[in-house]
Amino acid sequence: MKTKLTTKDLITAGAFGAIYLVLLTVLSSVLTIVPVLFLATPLIAGVILGTVYMLYATKVPRTGAILVLAVLVGLITSMATIYPLIFAVVWGIIAEIITVRKHNSAGALAASYCVFNLTSMGPFFALVLAKDAFLESCSAYYGAEYVATLDALTPSWIVVVLIALALAGGLLGGLFGRRVLKKHFVKAGITV
């Protein structure tokens, strides 16, 4: 992997970042309507966004590009608290480390995305850190019945399930993206 991000790389990163963030926002907005689907967001978004991530990683094969995308996701998901941004940076660094060691491997990119998809956990930190305040804000938008259902579906250990769903979504999305983009990988000199 080349080490220096150029201006062109940053522009490409911004364009792909915008696509990734728009899709993540749309998916999150639509899935939030039903409490069970809201909780499945890390899985569903991970599967759908895997192809965008894999294409991004082939178009901007520079050290730091994945971290740039992680910071963008962290900024968008950090509306109420700073914790999603902090964790997004951590997941972005780990995803970078995975690709630095085997930069020309589609398998490494898929593994990298598996970790990167944990950045979609941002909104769920409020469920762990301040559940009552989160549910109160939800009641203004979705009503008491929605809040009661969401409260019943989110015991204290739900974060473990959500992390497992995010990892599974990342794995499936990475494998799907790898399969869909096989032609791009070969063209970029990445072993499939």
PDB file of all heavy atoms in Angstrom, residues 6 14-15 40-41 45 50 64 78 82 98 101-102 104 112 123 126 134 149 159-160 167 175:
ATOM      1  N   THR A   6      -2.679  11.723  -1.442  1.00  0.00           N
ATOM      2  CA  THR A   6      -2.571  12.908  -2.279  1.00  0.00           C
ATOM      3  C   THR A   6      -3.894  13.667  -2.241  1.00  0.00           C
ATOM      4  O   THR A   6      -4.891  13.176  -1.708  1.00  0.00           O
ATOM      5  CB  THR A   6      -2.242  12.514  -3.737  1.00  0.00           C
ATOM      6  OG1 THR A   6      -3.348  11.766  -4.259  1.00  0.00           O
ATOM      7  CG2 THR A   6      -0.966  11.682  -3.811  1.00  0.00           C
ATOM      8  N   GLY A  14     -13.395  11.564  -0.113  1.00  0.00           N
ATOM      9  CA  GLY A  14     -14.573  12.360   0.227  1.00  0.00           C
ATOM     10  C   GLY A  14     -15.803  11.930  -0.549  1.00  0.00           C
ATOM     11  O   GLY A  14     -16.903  11.846   0.005  1.00  0.00           O
ATOM     12  N   ALA A  15     -15.622  11.620  -1.838  1.00  0.00           N
ATOM     13  CA  ALA A  15     -16.747  11.182  -2.665  1.00  0.00           C
ATOM     14  C   ALA A  15     -17.289   9.833  -2.176  1.00  0.00           C
ATOM     15  O   ALA A  15     -18.502   9.669  -1.996  1.00  0.00           O
ATOM     16  CB  ALA A  15     -16.314  11.085  -4.128  1.00  0.00           C
ATOM     17  N   ALA A  40     -31.229  -4.402  14.163  1.00  0.00           N
ATOM     18  CA  ALA A  40     -30.532  -5.177  13.126  1.00  0.00           C
ATOM     19  C   ALA A  40     -29.736  -4.285  12.170  1.00  0.00           C
ATOM     20  O   ALA A  40     -29.106  -4.788  11.241  1.00  0.00           O
ATOM     21  CB  ALA A  40     -31.538  -6.008  12.343  1.00  0.00           C
ATOM     22  N   THR A  41     -29.731  -2.985  12.402  1.00  0.00           N
ATOM     23  CA  THR A  41     -29.033  -2.053  11.520  1.00  0.00           C
ATOM     24  C   THR A  41     -27.566  -2.416  11.298  1.00  0.00           C
ATOM     25  O   THR A  41     -27.103  -2.389  10.152  1.00  0.00           O
ATOM     26  CB  THR A  41     -29.163  -0.602  12.038  1.00  0.00           C
ATOM     27  OG1 THR A  41     -30.542  -0.245  12.057  1.00  0.00           O
ATOM     28  CG2 THR A  41     -28.404   0.378  11.166  1.00  0.00           C
ATOM     29  N   ALA A  45     -26.904  -2.953   7.410  1.00  0.00           N
ATOM     30  CA  ALA A  45     -26.035  -1.926   6.818  1.00  0.00           C
ATOM     31  C   ALA A  45     -24.683  -2.515   6.452  1.00  0.00           C
ATOM     32  O   ALA A  45     -24.109  -2.174   5.410  1.00  0.00           O
ATOM     33  CB  ALA A  45     -25.866  -0.757   7.784  1.00  0.00           C
ATOM     34  N   GLY A  50     -20.814  -3.122   2.379  1.00  0.00           N
ATOM     35  CA  GLY A  50     -19.557  -3.823   2.146  1.00  0.00           C
ATOM     36  C   GLY A  50     -18.977  -3.573   0.767  1.00  0.00           C
ATOM     37  O   GLY A  50     -17.768  -3.366   0.605  1.00  0.00           O
ATOM     38  N   GLY A  64      -4.056   5.271   5.599  1.00  0.00           N
ATOM     39  CA  GLY A  64      -4.798   6.398   6.138  1.00  0.00           C
ATOM     40  C   GLY A  64      -6.166   6.585   5.508  1.00  0.00           C
ATOM     41  O   GLY A  64      -7.020   7.256   6.082  1.00  0.00           O
ATOM     42  N   SER A  78     -21.848  10.758  15.807  1.00  0.00           N
ATOM     43  CA  SER A  78     -21.559  11.353  17.121  1.00  0.00           C
ATOM     44  C   SER A  78     -22.406  12.577  17.415  1.00  0.00           C
ATOM     45  O   SER A  78     -21.932  13.530  18.011  1.00  0.00           O
ATOM     46  CB  SER A  78     -20.080  11.751  17.194  1.00  0.00           C
ATOM     47  OG  SER A  78     -19.264  10.649  17.158  1.00  0.00           O
ATOM     48  N   ILE A  82     -19.556  12.044  22.196  1.00  0.00           N
ATOM     49  CA  ILE A  82     -18.267  11.905  21.519  1.00  0.00           C
ATOM     50  C   ILE A  82     -17.825  10.445  21.395  1.00  0.00           C
ATOM     51  O   ILE A  82     -16.955  10.118  20.593  1.00  0.00           O
ATOM     52  CB  ILE A  82     -17.188  12.749  22.253  1.00  0.00           C
ATOM     53  CG1 ILE A  82     -15.900  12.862  21.442  1.00  0.00           C
ATOM     54  CG2 ILE A  82     -16.853  12.141  23.594  1.00  0.00           C
ATOM     55  CD1 ILE A  82     -15.983  13.806  20.304  1.00  0.00           C
ATOM     56  N   ILE A  98      -4.903  -4.039   9.642  1.00  0.00           N
ATOM     57  CA  ILE A  98      -5.178  -5.289   8.923  1.00  0.00           C
ATOM     58  C   ILE A  98      -4.774  -5.174   7.458  1.00  0.00           C
ATOM     59  O   ILE A  98      -4.183  -6.097   6.897  1.00  0.00           O
ATOM     60  CB  ILE A  98      -6.667  -5.677   9.048  1.00  0.00           C
ATOM     61  CG1 ILE A  98      -6.973  -6.065  10.499  1.00  0.00           C
ATOM     62  CG2 ILE A  98      -7.023  -6.814   8.094  1.00  0.00           C
ATOM     63  CD1 ILE A  98      -8.439  -6.218  10.795  1.00  0.00           C
ATOM     64  N   ARG A 101      -0.637  -4.860   6.510  1.00  0.00           N
ATOM     65  CA  ARG A 101       0.155  -6.088   6.485  1.00  0.00           C
ATOM     66  C   ARG A 101      -0.015  -6.865   5.180  1.00  0.00           C
ATOM     67  O   ARG A 101       0.921  -7.470   4.699  1.00  0.00           O
ATOM     68  CB  ARG A 101      -0.195  -6.965   7.671  1.00  0.00           C
ATOM     69  CG  ARG A 101       0.179  -6.307   8.984  1.00  0.00           C
ATOM     70  CD  ARG A 101       0.002  -7.278  10.120  1.00  0.00           C
ATOM     71  NE  ARG A 101       0.225  -6.622  11.385  1.00  0.00           N
ATOM     72  CZ  ARG A 101       1.396  -6.548  11.980  1.00  0.00           C
ATOM     73  NH1 ARG A 101       2.450  -7.067  11.430  1.00  0.00           N
ATOM     74  NH2 ARG A 101       1.501  -5.930  13.141  1.00  0.00           N
ATOM     75  N   LYS A 102      -1.213  -6.898   4.647  1.00  0.00           N
ATOM     76  CA  LYS A 102      -1.486  -7.624   3.400  1.00  0.00           C
ATOM     77  C   LYS A 102      -2.290  -6.720   2.474  1.00  0.00           C
ATOM     78  O   LYS A 102      -3.458  -6.963   2.204  1.00  0.00           O
ATOM     79  CB  LYS A 102      -2.248  -8.912   3.691  1.00  0.00           C
ATOM     80  CG  LYS A 102      -1.436  -9.913   4.468  1.00  0.00           C
ATOM     81  CD  LYS A 102      -2.191 -11.205   4.603  1.00  0.00           C
ATOM     82  CE  LYS A 102      -1.337 -12.207   5.351  1.00  0.00           C
ATOM     83  NZ  LYS A 102      -1.963 -13.502   5.449  1.00  0.00           N
ATOM     84  N   ASN A 104      -2.338  -6.220  -0.666  1.00  0.00           N
ATOM     85  CA  ASN A 104      -2.771  -6.664  -1.986  1.00  0.00           C
ATOM     86  C   ASN A 104      -3.657  -7.900  -1.914  1.00  0.00           C
ATOM     87  O   ASN A 104      -3.705  -8.699  -2.828  1.00  0.00           O
ATOM     88  CB  ASN A 104      -1.555  -6.932  -2.879  1.00  0.00           C
ATOM     89  CG  ASN A 104      -0.665  -8.029  -2.312  1.00  0.00           C
ATOM     90  OD1 ASN A 104      -0.784  -8.396  -1.149  1.00  0.00           O
ATOM     91  ND2 ASN A 104       0.223  -8.539  -3.132  1.00  0.00           N
ATOM     92  N   SER A 112     -10.707  -6.503   7.043  1.00  0.00           N
ATOM     93  CA  SER A 112     -10.655  -5.106   7.460  1.00  0.00           C
ATOM     94  C   SER A 112     -12.069  -4.524   7.570  1.00  0.00           C
ATOM     95  O   SER A 112     -12.400  -3.820   8.521  1.00  0.00           O
ATOM     96  CB  SER A 112      -9.819  -4.315   6.454  1.00  0.00           C
ATOM     97  OG  SER A 112      -9.940  -2.943   6.655  1.00  0.00           O
ATOM     98  N   PRO A 123     -24.686   4.866  17.084  1.00  0.00           N
ATOM     99  CA  PRO A 123     -25.954   5.218  17.722  1.00  0.00           C
ATOM    100  C   PRO A 123     -26.348   4.309  18.886  1.00  0.00           C
ATOM    101  O   PRO A 123     -27.134   4.680  19.740  1.00  0.00           O
ATOM    102  CB  PRO A 123     -26.975   5.082  16.585  1.00  0.00           C
ATOM    103  CG  PRO A 123     -26.178   5.191  15.342  1.00  0.00           C
ATOM    104  CD  PRO A 123     -24.835   4.626  15.654  1.00  0.00           C
ATOM    105  N   ALA A 126     -25.547   5.050  22.935  1.00  0.00           N
ATOM    106  CA  ALA A 126     -26.503   5.745  23.802  1.00  0.00           C
ATOM    107  C   ALA A 126     -27.388   4.746  24.542  1.00  0.00           C
ATOM    108  O   ALA A 126     -27.786   4.992  25.678  1.00  0.00           O
ATOM    109  CB  ALA A 126     -27.349   6.702  22.975  1.00  0.00           C
ATOM    110  N   PHE A 134     -31.935   8.152  26.082  1.00  0.00           N
ATOM    111  CA  PHE A 134     -32.137   7.751  24.691  1.00  0.00           C
ATOM    112  C   PHE A 134     -33.604   7.401  24.445  1.00  0.00           C
ATOM    113  O   PHE A 134     -34.210   7.843  23.460  1.00  0.00           O
ATOM    114  CB  PHE A 134     -31.241   6.557  24.343  1.00  0.00           C
ATOM    115  CG  PHE A 134     -31.391   6.081  22.935  1.00  0.00           C
ATOM    116  CD1 PHE A 134     -30.767   6.745  21.896  1.00  0.00           C
ATOM    117  CD2 PHE A 134     -32.162   4.972  22.643  1.00  0.00           C
ATOM    118  CE1 PHE A 134     -30.908   6.316  20.588  1.00  0.00           C
ATOM    119  CE2 PHE A 134     -32.312   4.532  21.349  1.00  0.00           C
ATOM    120  CZ  PHE A 134     -31.679   5.204  20.313  1.00  0.00           C
ATOM    121  N   THR A 149     -41.497  -1.077  23.357  1.00  0.00           N
ATOM    122  CA  THR A 149     -40.976  -2.224  22.600  1.00  0.00           C
ATOM    123  C   THR A 149     -39.459  -2.212  22.581  1.00  0.00           C
ATOM    124  O   THR A 149     -38.814  -3.235  22.820  1.00  0.00           O
ATOM    125  CB  THR A 149     -41.515  -2.210  21.150  1.00  0.00           C
ATOM    126  OG1 THR A 149     -42.943  -2.192  21.194  1.00  0.00           O
ATOM    127  CG2 THR A 149     -41.036  -3.414  20.377  1.00  0.00           C
ATOM    128  N   VAL A 159     -25.674  -5.138  23.943  1.00  0.00           N
ATOM    129  CA  VAL A 159     -24.501  -4.630  23.234  1.00  0.00           C
ATOM    130  C   VAL A 159     -23.654  -5.777  22.681  1.00  0.00           C
ATOM    131  O   VAL A 159     -23.088  -5.665  21.593  1.00  0.00           O
ATOM    132  CB  VAL A 159     -23.678  -3.670  24.109  1.00  0.00           C
ATOM    133  CG1 VAL A 159     -22.938  -4.404  25.218  1.00  0.00           C
ATOM    134  CG2 VAL A 159     -22.691  -2.889  23.263  1.00  0.00           C
ATOM    135  N   VAL A 160     -23.599  -6.896  23.379  1.00  0.00           N
ATOM    136  CA  VAL A 160     -22.852  -8.060  22.893  1.00  0.00           C
ATOM    137  C   VAL A 160     -23.495  -8.589  21.612  1.00  0.00           C
ATOM    138  O   VAL A 160     -22.808  -8.915  20.641  1.00  0.00           O
ATOM    139  CB  VAL A 160     -22.777  -9.160  23.984  1.00  0.00           C
ATOM    140  CG1 VAL A 160     -22.105 -10.412  23.461  1.00  0.00           C
ATOM    141  CG2 VAL A 160     -22.078  -8.628  25.221  1.00  0.00           C
ATOM    142  N   LEU A 167     -20.252  -7.507  13.434  1.00  0.00           N
ATOM    143  CA  LEU A 167     -19.166  -8.338  12.897  1.00  0.00           C
ATOM    144  C   LEU A 167     -19.682  -9.264  11.792  1.00  0.00           C
ATOM    145  O   LEU A 167     -19.032  -9.428  10.759  1.00  0.00           O
ATOM    146  CB  LEU A 167     -18.500  -9.142  14.013  1.00  0.00           C
ATOM    147  CG  LEU A 167     -17.668  -8.331  15.007  1.00  0.00           C
ATOM    148  CD1 LEU A 167     -17.245  -9.199  16.184  1.00  0.00           C
ATOM    149  CD2 LEU A 167     -16.462  -7.710  14.322  1.00  0.00           C
ATOM    150  N   LEU A 175     -17.369 -10.206   2.182  1.00  0.00           N
ATOM    151  CA  LEU A 175     -17.349 -11.341   1.245  1.00  0.00           C
ATOM    152  C   LEU A 175     -18.182 -11.041   0.003  1.00  0.00           C
ATOM    153  O   LEU A 175     -17.773 -11.365  -1.125  1.00  0.00           O
ATOM    154  CB  LEU A 175     -17.851 -12.606   1.940  1.00  0.00           C
ATOM    155  CG  LEU A 175     -16.955 -13.140   3.059  1.00  0.00           C
ATOM    156  CD1 LEU A 175     -17.624 -14.310   3.771  1.00  0.00           C
ATOM    157  CD2 LEU A 175     -15.584 -13.530   2.520  1.00  0.00           C
TER     158      LEU A 175
END
